[in-house]
């Protein structure tokens, strides 16, 4: 890749995993242990590494955080800090991807309902923004993407690109609910120079599953 996987000026590395499909269909913990071990062998300490994903509940289910009954203090996996994007703590108002795609409740069907509440100008402006993970943009020497390949009704296959983009931003639901706009958002976010510059590589674990895919509810399934 041309990127040196060794400590740089910031002495910090992020690892973006995928746990959103639930237990058993998440980035394997053994793969993450191997990556952490390789990074430590290159000179990083546990506190100079961090693991990042969306949901605290999903990360607990997948084994990246201990059960609440056994957790003491800050969440860690193998001694490495675990960060949760959906807390909002890792987004910065300066870093965002803006799209004219409206918020879901502002769609044509919603506007036709008599009880629909129109967005204020400030809400409308914010609904067009998806905030990017600042930790991966400016706070790391590099970051590593560890996705899972899954079928997805809006993007076809949720894999390396989607894990690095839509599963890495706020306000992502507006794209995931739109098969026409989701692939465009993936391509545009993946082209943001600051995101790409630190993205060192992707390791896709090749488990094979037999599943029945499809959204939570759709009359066609």
């Amino acid at each position: 890749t041309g990127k040196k996987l060794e400590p740089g000026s910031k002495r910090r590395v992020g690892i973006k995993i995928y746990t959103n499909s639930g237990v058993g269909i998440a980035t394997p913990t053994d793969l993450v242990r191997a990556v952490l071990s390789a990074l430590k062998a290159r000179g990083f300490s546990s506190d100079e590494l961090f693991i990042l994903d969306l949901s605290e509940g999903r990360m607990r289910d997948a084994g990246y955080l201990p059960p609440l009954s056994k957790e003491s203090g800050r969440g860690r996996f193998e001694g490495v800090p675990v960060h949760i994007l959906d807390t909002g703590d890792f987004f910065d108002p300066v870093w965002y991807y803006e799209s004219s795609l409206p918020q879901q409740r502002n769609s044509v069907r919603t506007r036709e309902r008599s009880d629909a509440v129109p967005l204020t100008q400030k809400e409308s402006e914010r609904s067009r923004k998806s905030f990017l993970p600042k930790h991966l943009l400016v706070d790391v020497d590099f970051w590593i993407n560890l996705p899972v390949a899954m079928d997805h009704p809006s993007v076809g296959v949720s894999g390396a690109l989607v894990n690095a983009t839509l599963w890495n931003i706020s306000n992502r639901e507006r794209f995931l609910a739109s098969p026409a706009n989701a692939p465009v958002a993936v391509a545009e976010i993946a082209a943001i120079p600051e995101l790409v510059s630190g993205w060192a590589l992707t390791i896709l674990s090749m488990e094979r599953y037999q599943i029945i895919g499809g959204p939570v509810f759709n009359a066609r399934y």
Side-chain angles (χ1 to χ4, degrees):
T1 65
K3 300 181 190 297
K4 292 185 176 181
L5 305 184
E6 59 187 27
S9 60
K10 295 167 185 174
R11 293 197 63 92
R12 196 144 176 81
V13 176
I15 300 173
K16 174 65 176 73
I17 62 172
Y18 177 85
T19 60
N20 203 61
S21 292
V23 180
I25 311 178
T27 303
T29 53
D30 283 344
L31 172 60
V32 176
R33 288 187 181 96
V35 170
L36 294 176
S37 177
L39 291 170
K40 290 176 182 178
R42 285 163 169 77
F44 291 99
S45 68
S46 293
D47 285 331
E48 292 171 335
L49 309 173
F50 65 87
I51 297 166
L52 186 71
D53 202 22
L54 302 176
S55 163
E56 178 180 354
R58 296 289 195 187
M59 294 179 85
R60 288 193 193 281
D61 290 344
Y64 289 101
L65 287 170
L68 286 171
S69 60
K70 296 182 179 180
E71 186 173 66
S72 59
R74 186 180 177 189
R76 289 176 177 258
F77 175 78
E78 302 290 330
V80 173
V82 174
H83 296 332
I84 302 160
L85 282 170
D86 280 351
T87 63
D89 295 340
F90 305 100
F91 298 127
D92 188 302
V94 173
W95 297 99
Y96 62 86
Y97 165 70
E98 187 166 10
S99 168
S100 58
L101 181 67
Q103 194 176 34
Q104 193 170 2
R105 74 182 176 107
N106 206 28
S107 65
V108 173
R109 180 176 296 179
T110 305
R111 287 199 302 270
E112 290 174 349
R113 290 171 43 196
S114 59
D115 61 343
V117 179
L119 294 172
T120 65
Q121 181 177 352
K122 186 174 182 179
E123 286 176 329
S124 180
E125 290 175 357
R126 188 173 181 85
S127 73
R128 294 196 303 268
K129 295 179 179 180
S130 291
F131 293 96
L132 303 165
K134 177 177 177 287
H135 272 34
L136 299 183
L137 298 175
V138 296
D139 294 342
V140 294
D141 294 324
F142 59 90
W143 62 280
I144 296 172
N145 185 27
L146 301 182
V148 172
M150 280 291 299
D151 71 303
H152 194 281
S154 295
V155 294
V157 174
S158 172
L161 286 175
V162 179
N163 193 51
T165 57
L166 297 188
W167 297 122
N168 218 359
I169 61 173
S170 69
N171 201 12
R172 71 195 74 86
E173 291 79 10
R174 61 188 179 135
F175 302 118
L176 296 174
S178 174
N181 292 284
V184 175
V186 169
E188 291 182 346
I189 296 170
I192 294 172
E194 291 81 3
L195 187 70
V196 175
S197 65
W199 183 355
L201 70 153
T202 292
I203 303 175
L204 177 61
S205 186
M206 297 300 290
E207 278 85 7
R208 295 196 292 180
Y209 308 98
Q210 184 175 20
I211 62 170
I212 300 174
V216 175
F217 174 79
N218 188 315
R220 294 179 302 167
Y221 289 86

